[in-house]
Amino acid sequence: MIHSLKTNSCLPVWYLLEDKGEIIGCAGLITNDLISRMDLWSWVCALYIEESYRGKSLGEQILLKLKEDTKDAGFDNLYLCTNHVGYYEKYDFIYIGDGYHPWGSSSRIYRANLIKL
């Protein structure tokens, strides 16, 4: 995170949600999320909302901001890998297949098309 503050590259970028100076959520835009599909980018990573703040559409707000910034950076798609089923589909991410991690496990890969934004 520290190095991303000093880069001229559009990636990585980190987002924090705060409430009264306390970090309550986060997410990142990165070039790859340790998945075998190095041909795809950019990627959402580390989306997290503190449990006491869930149910307030904060995850949706972060995803919308990530999509907007990704499109503004010139990308047509935004990707993520997860084994959660049912959450990201609500935000127009479509399952496109499985990817594989260096440690041998697999994750589902999702894509959000940004051209229509």
Side-chain angles (χ1 to χ4, degrees), residues 16-46:
L16 298 175
L17 284 176
E18 293 182 326
D19 183 27
K20 300 175 187 146
E22 180 182 342
I23 296 172
I24 62 166
C26 64
L29 282 176
I30 58 175
T31 56
N32 186 274
D33 200 9
L34 300 174
I35 198 88
S36 58
R37 292 298 305 272
M38 301 294 270
D39 58 314
L40 306 175
W41 54 309
S42 63
W43 292 78
V44 174
C45 74

Side-chain angles (χ1 to χ4, degrees), residues 1 8 14 18 25 47 62 69 72 74 81 101 104 106 114-115:
M1 287 184 188
N8 292 327
W14 298 95
E18 293 182 326
L47 176 62
I62 291 177
D69 289 356
D72 289 348
C81 62
H101 298 284
S106 64
L114 306 176
I115 293 174

Side-chain angles (χ1 to χ4, degrees), residues 1-102:
M1 287 184 188
I2 292 169
H3 295 290
S4 70
L5 295 173
K6 298 179 182 183
T7 183
N8 292 327
S9 175
C10 64
L11 297 173
V13 180
W14 298 95
Y15 299 79
L16 298 175
L17 284 176
E18 293 182 326
D19 183 27
K20 300 175 187 146
E22 180 182 342
I23 296 172
I24 62 166
C26 64
L29 282 176
I30 58 175
T31 56
N32 186 274
D33 200 9
L34 300 174
I35 198 88
S36 58
R37 292 298 305 272
M38 301 294 270
D39 58 314
L40 306 175
W41 54 309
S42 63
W43 292 78
V44 174
C45 74
L47 176 62
Y48 180 79
I49 304 296
E50 285 286 345
E51 283 190 41
S52 62
Y53 287 87
R54 293 179 187 170
K56 300 177 182 183
S57 299
L58 297 175
E60 177 183 21
Q61 289 177 31
I62 291 177
L63 288 171
L64 288 172
K65 180 65 174 161
L66 295 173
K67 286 179 178 183
E68 177 185 316
D69 289 356
T70 301
K71 183 175 181 179
D72 289 348
F75 297 99
D76 293 337
N77 296 292
L78 180 59
Y79 300 91
L80 62 87
C81 62
T82 185
N83 287 322
H84 293 289
V85 176
Y87 180 76
Y88 294 100
E89 293 89 340
K90 295 186 287 188
Y91 306 109
D92 298 323
F93 282 87
I94 298 167
Y95 170 72
I96 62 167
D98 291 338
Y100 302 93
H101 298 284

